[in-house]
Amino acid sequence: MARRRYAFDEGKIARFQKEGRGRGRGTSYKPWLTIQDVASHGRSHRIAGIRTGRVHHFLSDIERDAFYQFDWADTVTDIREQYPLDREYTRRIAADLDIKHPRDAATEIVMTTDFLVDIAYEGKLRQLARAVKPASELEKPRVIDKLEIERRYWVQQGVDWGIITERDIPEAIVTNIAWLHPYITLDQLTAPYEGYYQEKARLLLRALPFHPAITLRQFCLAMDQQLAMHVGDSLLLVRHLLARKVISCPMDTAITDAWPLRQFQVPTDESRRASG
């Protein structure tokens, strides 16, 4: 029963195409595969994107971690996961290489690239296509065959292609981004009145530079009391300000509330927006 659920045939491929899978940009993009379409061997994830304003689907922890890095980068303007490749092209490439095209029991499948990323750099838009695989998978001949089809496809399109494994994921940076990421917006919070958390964030931002020697934990507990907030709200707002990059801190070491406040850099212009 499970096999039939995830199996592909020409009818299912036609249905996906009719649904607009693999088309659109930003909020309108629909990935070719979602977590409901694939029997994932690892953990799957659905995460709201900062750059796109939509929910992304990831079939493994490595895909999720790669996404966090792309979504955090200021130069990235769009991220499309599970991007479908034109099947006629991949069939030709497989034939040229004299290798079997990926297929399900019933039909040759539509191949996908894990990420197609748009980057704005020096006034120009460029694209990166990235396959995401565990390093151990790269020792398997059939995996290498499939990746070679994918590589040649993107070379023909003039798009920079590469492979990301867990060895390319900086653990501390990704851990920090994951800790901050849910607080890019405060819309999910119930507030006593409109603009409540934005107002408290501005007050907290104003106070932060004057206490460089105390720890983040000490500061947040004091601000919870001073601003008449629930315990933990000030730390939540610090995470929000860091996620919005209104304040900054070293990202290559795991952030802890034992850090002194001097680790957190505040812009000198206090009129800069503290929240949005």
Side-chain angles (χ1 to χ4, degrees):
M1 184 66 69
R3 177 60 186 164
R4 287 199 295 274
R5 174 186 172 188
Y6 297 117
F8 274 85
D9 56 26
E10 292 301 323
K12 187 172 184 178
I13 290 172
R15 175 166 61 84
F16 276 22
Q17 291 171 336
K18 187 175 181 180
E19 291 173 358
R21 301 277 192 112
R23 296 201 295 272
R25 288 178 178 270
T27 57
S28 68
Y29 175 74
K30 295 181 179 180
W32 181 257
L33 299 173
T34 69
I35 61 175
Q36 288 82 24
D37 301 317
V38 178
S40 175
H41 297 296
R43 292 187 294 175
S44 57
H45 305 272
R46 297 173 74 252
I47 301 173
I50 296 171
R51 303 295 161 194
T52 64
R54 67 174 177 85
V55 174
H56 294 256
H57 292 249
F58 306 112
L59 309 180
S60 69
D61 289 352
I62 307 176
E63 287 183 17
R64 174 204 61 193
D65 293 348
F67 165 76
Y68 276 138
Q69 293 186 89
F70 289 133
D71 206 35
W72 187 255
D74 293 333
T75 55
V76 169
T77 61
D78 197 10
I79 305 168
R80 282 162 283 175
E81 75 276 19
Q82 295 301 320
Y83 188 84
L85 311 185
D86 186 301
R87 194 163 48 155
E88 291 308 309
Y89 287 177
T90 56
R91 280 169 168 162
R92 283 191 221 120
I93 294 169
D96 290 343
L97 292 169
D98 195 24
I99 60 178
K100 293 180 180 179
H101 189 280
R103 65 177 296 120
D104 207 333
T107 191
E108 291 179 325
I109 65 170
V110 174
M111 296 182 66
T112 61
T113 287
D114 294 312
F115 289 102
L116 182 62
V117 180
D118 291 350
I119 295 177
Y121 183 70
E122 294 183 346
K124 296 180 180 179
L125 182 68
R126 60 186 295 239
Q127 290 187 319
L128 304 177
R130 292 293 182 264
V132 180
K133 295 288 182 187
S136 59
E137 289 287 297
L138 302 183
E139 300 173 2
K140 300 177 180 179
R142 183 55 180 158
V143 171
I144 295 299
D145 284 349
K146 293 176 183 178
L147 289 172
E148 181 60 14
I149 295 173
E150 186 178 337
R151 186 191 73 80
R152 292 198 181 199
Y153 180 94
W154 288 113
V155 167
Q156 290 177 11
Q157 304 296 316
V159 173
D160 183 310
W161 179 87
I163 301 172
I164 298 172
T165 76
E166 70 276 11
R167 296 171 184 170
D168 303 304
I169 306 290
E171 184 176 351
I173 292 175
V174 167
T175 297
N176 287 337
I177 297 171
W179 188 62
L180 301 176
H181 201 272
Y183 295 96
I184 187 66
T185 177
L186 301 177
D187 293 344
Q188 74 277 22
L189 302 178
T190 301
Y193 53 84
E194 186 176 353
Y196 170 84
Y197 283 109
Q198 289 78 8
E199 174 189 307
K200 300 296 186 182
R202 284 190 289 271
L203 293 171
L204 185 147
L205 178 62
R206 196 169 299 142
L208 197 150
F210 296 99
H211 307 279
I214 68 172
T215 66
L216 178 60
R217 182 190 306 116
Q218 292 169 329
F219 174 74
C220 288
L221 288 173
M223 293 304 293
D224 284 339
Q225 185 174 19
Q226 182 178 326
L227 299 178
M229 293 192 295
H230 294 298
V231 173
D233 278 358
S234 289
L235 181 58
L236 180 154
L237 291 176
V238 169
R239 292 167 74 176
H240 172 64
L241 293 169
L242 286 166
R244 299 278 297 188
K245 301 185 181 179
V246 176
I247 60 179
S248 61
C249 71
M251 292 291 286
D252 56 357
T253 303
I255 301 168
T256 79
D257 62 5
W259 278 9
L261 288 194
R262 67 173 62 92
Q263 292 279 75
F264 301 89
Q265 301 299 312
V266 181
T268 54
D269 180 7
E270 291 187 1
S271 66
R272 180 174 176 176
R273 287 179 64 120
S275 182

